[in-house]
Amino acid sequence: MEGIKTIGILTSGGDAPGMNAAVRAVTRTAIYAGFKVKGIYRGYRGLITDEIVEFKTQNVSNIIQMGGTILKTARCKEFETPEGRQLAHDVIKREGIDAMVVIGGDGSLTGARVFANEFNFPIIGLPGTIDNDLYGTDRTIGYDTALNTIMQCVDKIRDTATSHERLFFIEVMGRDAGFLALNGAIASGAEAAIIPEISTEVDQLGELIKNGFRKSKNSSIVLVAESPVTGGAMAQAERVKKEYPQYDVRVTILGHLQRGGSPTAIDRILASRTGAAAIDALLEDQRNVMIGVVNDEIVYVPFSKAIKKEKPINRTLLETLRRLSI
Ligand code: F6P
């Protein structure tokens, strides 16, 4: 905390509903505590190209309900190089920024960690990604909204699936994680989820067919997590067409619509709480930690832990899904 007068804030990587609520919470809590706030546009790219504007409380008015991010976002290759990070550091010095709050997913927090260590610079991270794949927090900002979007889409697809008595493979996002697919399947009453976490252990599609899915039904919906490991919905559908030609198969890839929309109450509250906690963390001299929420309590997770890519999926949920789909 010592010496910190101005806090920079940026959003980076894939946008997620609730990022604006987080920007608002960080800005207002910082100003309330007596700091100056600077909004950095377009993630790390804007840090390198100096797209930085001072934020007052009005800059974040009427944004809590908005999807996307008013700060814009980017995936910046240049920041992955020492030269790019040096340029960013020069800008930080010039702008008089003494600490940063970075809102983003795995890649963004990895960048934050490297930069923080390289320049001994205080950074606090907020978990902003629909993928829910950051370790040390029960949920990430944007995950609940994306889950609700998936549920609403599957409800609609079910109408046509039932009418035509078809088998639908619906591909959802998640990068290398199956949280959206598994919980999306439970929330929408799908027959199954095919997820990367167990793809190498079990032939999920084979099991499904062996157990006679659609036994008692005239249509079926299977959620497939996008991933090279699952092959995505197309690969699953191709296999069924080849091995089980009796099924009338269709594929829907939900794509980027999963990232849009007004954040749910759960995401707004998560973003607001973690955003405020980011400033508390700086006041407590914390640095290089991500703010998480575990069992409804704020926790500080060192970057090295948050990004270690081992957030476990709750396997009992798979069993629940299986039991509910008979
Ligand atoms: O990390 C968020 C995410 O939406 C992933 O689920 C997905 O794999 C990826 O970003 C898509 O990235 P882009 O918007 O760059 O295509």
Side-chain angles (χ1 to χ4, degrees):
M1 156 59 191
E2 215 173 291
I4 297 179
K5 290 196 178 64
T6 302
I7 299 172
I9 174 169
L10 62 81
T11 51
S12 162
D15 64 325
M19 278 185 164
N20 282 325
V23 170
R24 171 180 179 270
V26 170
T27 302
R28 295 221 166 140
T29 314
I31 292 172
Y32 183 85
F35 296 112
K36 200 176 193 184
V37 176
K38 291 198 171 182
I40 302 158
Y41 283 82
R42 297 181 180 79
Y44 296 123
R45 198 203 301 159
L47 195 57
I48 292 172
T49 54
D50 200 349
E51 297 178 70
I52 300 175
V53 171
E54 185 174 345
F55 265 25
K56 304 284 190 193
T57 61
Q58 319 75 273
N59 288 85
V60 294
S61 294
N62 298 323
I63 65 167
I64 194 167
Q65 77 285 9
M66 286 164 52
T69 160
I70 60 157
L71 280 175
K72 316 284 182 202
T73 186
R75 301 190 197 277
C76 178
K77 281 276 158 217
E78 206 179 348
F79 196 73
E80 290 172 23
T81 67
E83 295 76 23
R85 291 193 295 274
Q86 183 59 57
L87 288 173
H89 190 250
D90 296 345
V91 171
I92 277 182
K93 285 259 158 226
R94 200 157 62 229
E95 289 281 348
I97 295 173
D98 309 304
M100 273 200 305
V101 177
V102 170
I103 308 168
D106 188 66
S108 310
L109 298 190
T110 303
R113 180 184 182 218
V114 173
F115 187 84
N117 288 337
E118 217 161 42
F119 295 100
N120 189 25
F121 187 79
I123 304 187
I124 304 294
L126 294 185
T129 167
I130 64 164
D131 300 337
N132 197 34
D133 59 350
L134 289 165
Y135 183 87
T137 186
D138 289 345
R139 291 163 178 282
T140 56
I141 298 164
Y143 171 61
D144 185 66
T145 308
L147 213 44
N148 277 280
T149 301
I150 291 168
M151 182 183 75
Q152 286 156 13
C153 291
V154 177
D155 285 351
K156 291 196 165 88
I157 293 170
R158 184 182 295 287
D159 290 344
T160 180
T162 314
S163 304
H164 283 268
E165 304 185 86
R166 280 175 174 160
L167 162 59
F168 267 85
F169 287 99
I170 303 176
E171 183 174 306
V172 301
M173 282 187 167
R175 203 174 289 273
D176 300 313
F179 296 99
L180 286 171
L182 180 53
N183 283 308
I186 292 177
S188 58
E191 275 58 52
I194 296 182
I195 58 171
E197 285 84 349
I198 62 162
S199 275
T200 51
E201 293 167 29
V202 190
D203 174 6
Q204 297 168 88
L205 181 63
E207 293 262 297
L208 207 60
I209 289 169
K210 193 179 81 203
N211 296 337
F213 80 120
R214 304 222 304 173
K215 254 198 318 261
S216 55
K217 300 180 185 145
N218 62 3
S219 69
S220 282
I221 291 177
V222 177
L223 263 61
V224 185
E226 61 163 9
S227 148
V229 188
T230 64
M234 285 292 192
Q236 302 292 331
E238 282 313 310
R239 187 174 153 202
V240 172
K241 278 187 202 159
K242 227 182 265 155
E243 294 177 30
Y244 309 93
Q246 69 273 29
Y247 291 129
D248 190 9
V249 183
R250 291 291 185 278
V251 168
T252 304
I253 297 173
L254 294 186
H256 287 79
L257 70 81
Q258 294 164 91
R259 287 224 301 251
S262 180
T264 59
I266 285 182
D267 274 331
R268 294 182 198 195
I269 294 165
L270 177 64
S272 300
R273 285 183 72 191
T274 53
I279 302 305
D280 293 338
L282 284 173
L283 288 167
E284 289 166 22
D285 264 335
Q286 293 281 342
R287 44 170 65 201
N288 308 345
V289 294
M290 178 192 84
I291 309 293
V293 172
V294 173
N295 295 330
D296 211 30
E297 299 284 344
I298 293 284
V299 292
Y300 299 152
V301 190
F303 284 154
S304 52
K305 274 198 177 166
I307 58 185
K308 71 177 183 175
K309 293 186 197 289
E310 278 171 22
K311 184 170 184 175
I313 201 132
N314 182 349
R315 284 171 184 245
T316 61
L317 293 176
L318 275 169
E319 181 51 24
T320 302
L321 179 60
R322 224 184 330 261
R323 283 191 287 161
L324 297 184
S325 68
I326 54 169

